[in-house]
Amino acid sequence: MKTKVNQFKCLLILFCLFLIIGVGCEKDDEKSNYAEGYIVGFDPCTINHQYRIGYIFISTDLQDTLVTYNLSDPSYKMPASVLLNPSDTLYKIPESYFQNYRNSAYLPKAVRYEFKIKITYAYATNEEKKFNLCSTDFNYSDFNNAKQVIIKSAIK
C-alpha cells in the first residue's frame, strides 16, 4: 500500500512540476498589438550607410512612435518599398523623399500623412533588435525614444 501511495505522490509532484514549467514558459513579449497610423520617417543611419531601411511609424492618436526594420526590402533599394514579403508591396516611397535625411529623419511635411498603415506587431526582443553602426550620424531624440517592433501584418 505504501508503494502505491509513494508512486502516486511522485506522479503528483511530476505533474505539478510540468504544470509550473508550462505556465512559466509563456512569453508576454509575443503578445500581438494593433495600431493604425502613418509611416512618417526613417532611420537616417540606414539611408546613409545603405542598410535595410528602418521606418518610423506614428499612431493616429499620436500616442505611439515605433520603429521597424522588417517593412523594407532586405537590402537597401530606392525607391524604398514598404512590404512584408516581395509579392505584397504596400507603398513605394520615392527616393526624393529621403534626400533631406542629414537634416531630418522625417519625410517631407507635405507627404508625412500619405502612407497610412494598419499594423499588428510585437515588441522586438533584445535578439531581434537592430543596432546599426552609425557613429558619425546625428542623434535624433524622437527616433531614439521610439520602441523597436517586429511587424507581423500590415495593410493600407
Side-chain angles (χ1 to χ4, degrees):
M1 181 75 171
K2 262 189 164 180
T3 307
K4 286 190 176 191
V5 170
N6 286 339
Q7 286 177 342
F8 179 73
K9 285 181 182 179
C10 286
L11 287 173
L12 186 61
I13 290 170
L14 282 173
F15 176 76
C16 289
L17 283 173
F18 285 124
L19 186 63
I20 290 169
I21 290 170
V23 171
C25 289
E26 198 173 304
K27 290 185 178 179
D28 289 335
D29 58 349
E30 289 189 11
K31 290 180 184 175
S32 290
N33 299 293
Y34 175 79
E36 292 184 35
Y38 302 91
I39 296 171
V40 297
F42 52 93
D43 175 353
C45 170
T46 59
I47 303 298
N48 195 27
H49 298 281
Q50 298 191 357
Y51 293 126
R52 184 175 187 169
I53 299 171
Y55 289 112
I56 298 174
F57 170 90
I58 192 162
S59 61
T60 305
D61 62 6
L62 306 177
Q63 296 300 308
D64 277 326
T65 302
L66 308 171
V67 63
T68 186
Y69 294 87
N70 73 313
L71 273 180
S72 60
D73 292 299
S75 59
Y76 178 83
K77 289 184 183 173
M78 284 294 172
S81 296
V82 177
L83 49 83
L84 277 177
N85 59 58
S87 64
D88 186 22
T89 302
L90 297 175
Y91 295 110
K92 287 276 192 189
I93 301 176
E95 183 175 1
S96 62
Y97 290 8
F98 298 90
Q99 288 179 347
N100 200 22
Y101 71 91
R102 292 194 188 273
N103 298 324
S104 175
Y106 294 96
L107 299 175
K109 286 183 182 180
V111 299
R112 199 162 289 165
Y113 297 103
E114 184 176 320
F115 303 106
K116 187 168 186 156
I117 191 167
K118 299 173 185 175
I119 60 172
T120 303
Y121 66 93
Y123 292 102
T125 64
N126 285 337
E127 293 80 27
E128 294 170 322
K129 285 183 179 179
K130 298 285 184 191
F131 297 101
N132 295 316
L133 298 176
C134 301
S135 59
T136 60
D137 293 330
F138 296 105
N139 282 335
Y140 294 93
S141 58
D142 290 346
F143 173 72
N144 290 333
N145 294 328
K147 299 171 208 131
Q148 201 172 127
V149 298
I150 303 297
I151 305 296
K152 295 181 177 185
S153 67
I155 58 172
K156 287 184 181 181

